[in-house]
Amino acid sequence: MRNFLPVLSTLITFTAAAQYGTFNSAIVKAAKTTKTVVVLDAGDSPYNRTLMTAVKAGWKFTAAMEFVTTAELAAQPISPDRTYLLKTLKTDPVKYQGTFLTLVKGWKPKKGEVLAQTDNAFTSIPAEHELAYIQIDPKAINEKNMSAMLNVYVKHLLNYLSLVETGKITDKATADRTYSGRTRLIRDTELWMAQEHLDKSIPNAAKLKESYSAPCQVMALTQLASAVEKEDRNITVSDMVLTGDNKNKYCFKRIFNAGTGELMLLRDDAAIFGKKEGFIDEDLKTIERAR
């Protein structure tokens, strides 16, 4: 997408889905011959520790990798023979900001070009160099015991890149169909949903089961991490990111397979004035009705 769609389309994609990347298989294939540079936060953090573990355990996109900090990356030029796994900060047309785990293909920088960053997230990455990205919640990762979700995010990026490389995803429409085609399979798993990911209109498991009849557990957010750590393909897990505030709040909702990292459901809502701040009954009915 980054290589042949205008920037406006890129920003609209953030509003609508908050993940995707390039749709060009040739660019993905070329990037596989590079070395992956994994960019870590300054200092120690759950984000750093878990990302290092996740990449060392499952990164198959390139044969070689290295780890640097944001400061170290800022002190060295971007190189076209490198691919960079880092955090980016994006702003959409209505000023919603979001942080993304992004795989970026290196390029030959212009004279004097520097990489700007805020809170360990880069803000000046040219959109045309982004290979794959997914929105994340750094606060939940570092402060709410949800760093285990990085294992899922890394697997998701690898899955997305594989689908683009093999021609199964060629544009946003085929990407949307791929993910919606997986939604019915959630019912074949046990869905683990964090209470914190549910809108206040679904206060408990009993209310949830009014809209969803397949196997499901509702638990505290801190318990959800254990499903991810088990890497059980028979479990799917909820994920939710809120952006903005008050009149500009937006809720991005996803369900992933805990074992494969595959994205199974992708929905979003404007969450203004305290409404729709999480999964609502219509999201659950979408899973229930999916064919």
Side-chain angles (χ1 to χ4, degrees):
M1 173 177 67
R2 298 295 183 244
N3 305 287
F4 53 88
L5 290 185
V7 173
L8 180 59
S9 294
T10 296
L11 297 176
I12 289 173
T13 295
F14 165 50
T15 304
Q19 49 265 308
Y20 292 127
T22 184
F23 297 137
N24 190 316
S25 62
I27 289 176
V28 173
K29 290 175 182 177
K32 293 183 70 173
T33 66
T34 66
K35 183 178 186 179
T36 299
V37 178
V38 182
V39 184
L40 305 173
D41 292 350
D44 185 34
S45 67
Y47 174 85
N48 283 359
R49 295 191 295 272
T50 307
L51 184 61
M52 289 180 68
T53 300
V55 171
K56 288 178 180 178
W59 191 254
K60 308 297 183 184
F61 185 66
T62 59
M65 71 180 73
E66 66 176 305
F67 297 89
V68 303
T69 65
T70 52
E72 290 169 336
L73 181 63
Q76 60 183 251
I78 289 287
S79 174
D81 64 351
R82 297 287 190 273
T83 299
Y84 300 85
L85 184 64
L86 43 71
K87 284 189 291 188
T88 59
L89 189 67
K90 298 175 183 285
T91 304
D92 85 344
V94 206
K95 307 303 181 185
Y96 306 127
Q97 278 196 337
T99 302
F100 296 75
L101 182 63
T102 306
L103 186 67
V104 176
K105 175 68 173 64
W107 67 93
K108 185 176 181 180
K110 297 177 182 178
K111 185 176 181 179
E113 183 178 356
V114 296
L115 293 179
Q117 55 117 341
T118 300
D119 296 329
N120 296 298
F122 291 87
T123 59
S124 59
I125 300 294
E128 64 268 21
H129 298 305
E130 295 176 340
L131 295 170
Y133 58 87
I134 184 165
Q135 191 176 15
I136 65 174
D137 185 344
K139 186 174 182 179
I141 289 171
N142 283 321
E143 300 176 18
K144 297 183 179 180
N145 195 37
M146 289 308 295
S147 63
M149 283 301 296
L150 284 167
N151 293 284
V152 169
Y153 299 149
V154 166
K155 290 177 182 179
H156 163 74
L157 293 179
L158 291 172
N159 179 249
Y160 178 83
L161 291 164
S162 174
L163 292 170
V164 173
E165 181 186 5
T166 56
K168 295 178 181 177
I169 285 181
T170 57
D171 53 23
K172 185 178 182 297
T174 52
D176 289 341
R177 284 198 297 270
T178 296
Y179 299 135
S180 63
R182 292 171 174 172
T183 300
R184 63 181 177 81
L185 301 176
I186 297 173
R187 300 195 303 269
D188 296 332
T189 71
E190 182 172 83
L191 175 59
W192 287 21
M193 301 206 72
Q195 183 67 59
E196 292 88 336
H197 291 163
L198 296 174
D199 180 65
K200 60 186 179 184
S201 61
I202 306 178
N204 50 48
K207 182 64 175 177
L208 182 150
K209 291 182 182 297
E210 292 179 10
S211 303
Y212 187 69
S213 61
C216 181
Q217 290 192 48
V218 176
M219 62 193 65
L221 184 63
T222 52
Q223 295 176 280
L224 203 65
S226 65
V228 178
E229 292 168 352
K230 291 178 181 178
E231 296 185 288
D232 189 338
R233 292 171 177 248
N234 296 311
I235 294 174
T236 46
V237 294
S238 64
D239 193 33
M240 187 265 286
V241 180
L242 284 172
T243 61
D245 54 42
N246 196 24
K247 295 181 181 180
N248 293 326
K249 187 172 286 188
Y250 219 84
C251 182
F252 297 90
K253 297 165 282 189
R254 296 86 64 95
I255 291 177
F256 294 92
N257 184 289
T260 67
E262 291 177 332
L263 183 59
M264 313 289 284
L265 178 76
L266 183 63
R267 291 177 67 86
D268 58 87
D269 282 301
I272 58 176
F273 305 118
K275 297 180 180 180
K276 298 183 179 180
E277 293 187 357
F279 284 83
I280 58 177
D281 61 346
E282 188 57 36
D283 299 321
L284 298 166
K285 289 176 181 177
T286 293
I287 305 172
E288 188 85 356
R289 299 166 181 161
R291 295 293 180 266

